[in-house]
Amino acid sequence: MRQKHTLTQGQAINVSAGQNGRYLIMREATDTVTLRSDNLRPVEIERGDTVDVSDYDTLTITNHHDSTLSLEFQITDIPVITRAQKIGANNLIGIDRIEEPVKVSEILEPVTVGGVIDTRIKDPVSLRAIGSGVLTFESNTLTIDGDDNRRSLVLQAADTNTENVVIQGVLRLRSGGDTTINTRDSITLSGAQGDVIYVGELV
């Protein structure tokens, strides 16, 4: 059975150990305590600790702090993993799976942020039109000049185009289609006279 005690400064209690079970499980404790026996050097234990006490008849649990503490322990024949033992070093908690959605309703203590990562984009990207942003095929070809300050070209064929716009003789852009090309160089477009393409650039 579980035993609950409140110990004042320096107070100690004796516990019958080996004859009642093999393990001492510290279920709850508001602070650490000292565990000792005739043939056991004093050891400091805390909430969540499980100690093999099968070799000891009587144990002494002492409050070695200046303030009063409360504790709850149990002598058993089998080791039991307590909730405190499921929390790893540095209070890191390993979660295997979450059965139901988790909702945080209250934070009992302030949360300290150890470090902040700057997620701002150091070089913002802007989209702007080239010229008026609208080019019409006066003949079957159009040329868009190169620009060393450009990062990418953004092209969109008008929905009303009668034919595909062919970029650099390779890439075909259907009516209403769009594409982004990472280039600073000039490019040549082919298409039907009167068709329209919208042109912008990322800088």
Side-chain angles (χ1 to χ4, degrees):
M1 297 296 293
R2 297 188 181 189
Q3 299 185 42
K4 296 182 180 180
H5 297 273
T6 299
L7 303 180
T8 59
Q9 176 185 356
Q11 185 178 359
I13 55 172
N14 292 325
V15 180
S16 296
Q19 64 271 32
N20 292 327
R22 181 174 180 180
Y23 299 97
L24 167 68
I25 303 170
M26 187 62 65
R27 293 282 188 174
E28 299 290 341
T30 56
D31 209 333
T32 59
V33 294
T34 300
L35 180 67
R36 71 180 71 210
S37 182
D38 290 340
N39 53 347
L40 170 68
R41 293 181 180 178
V43 60
E44 191 172 0
I45 63 173
E46 60 186 351
R47 172 180 175 264
D49 286 347
T50 298
V51 182
D52 186 342
V53 296
S54 56
D55 293 333
Y56 311 105
D57 292 327
T58 302
L59 297 170
T60 301
I61 298 176
T62 305
N63 175 10
H64 58 275
H65 299 284
D66 295 334
S67 57
T68 300
L69 62 83
S70 298
L71 58 91
E72 178 181 347
F73 62 88
Q74 184 176 9
I75 304 292
T76 70
D77 291 322
I78 58 173
V80 177
I81 297 177
T82 66
R83 286 174 296 175
Q85 289 171 319
K86 295 176 184 177
I87 301 177
N90 300 323
N91 293 326
L92 298 178
I93 301 175
I95 299 175
D96 293 329
R97 63 180 178 177
I98 299 175
E99 299 288 347
E100 297 179 0
V102 176
K103 180 179 179 182
V104 177
S105 58
E106 182 180 4
I107 297 176
L108 299 180
E109 296 182 4
V111 177
T112 301
V113 178
V116 178
I117 299 174
D118 187 357
T119 57
R120 293 174 297 178
I121 299 175
K122 299 189 184 307
D123 299 317
V125 177
S126 298
L127 174 64
R128 68 182 182 190
I130 295 179
S132 65
V134 182
L135 299 179
T136 302
F137 284 90
E138 301 295 342
S139 63
N140 294 112
T141 59
L142 280 173
T143 299
I144 299 175
D145 295 333
D147 187 340
D148 289 338
N149 296 319
R150 174 190 301 150
R151 295 188 183 190
S152 302
L153 275 175
V154 181
L155 307 173
Q156 182 177 23
D159 294 334
T160 56
N161 284 359
T162 58
E163 294 184 13
N164 292 338
V165 174
V166 182
I167 304 168
Q168 291 291 91
V170 177
L171 180 63
R172 285 165 171 74
L173 198 58
R174 295 187 177 94
S175 299
D178 62 80
T179 188
T180 300
I181 303 174
N182 296 326
T183 183
R184 294 183 172 89
D185 299 332
S186 63
I187 65 169
T188 299
L189 309 176
S190 301
Q193 291 185 27
D195 281 357
V196 171
I197 188 158
Y198 304 99
V199 184
E201 60 185 357
L202 297 174
V203 294

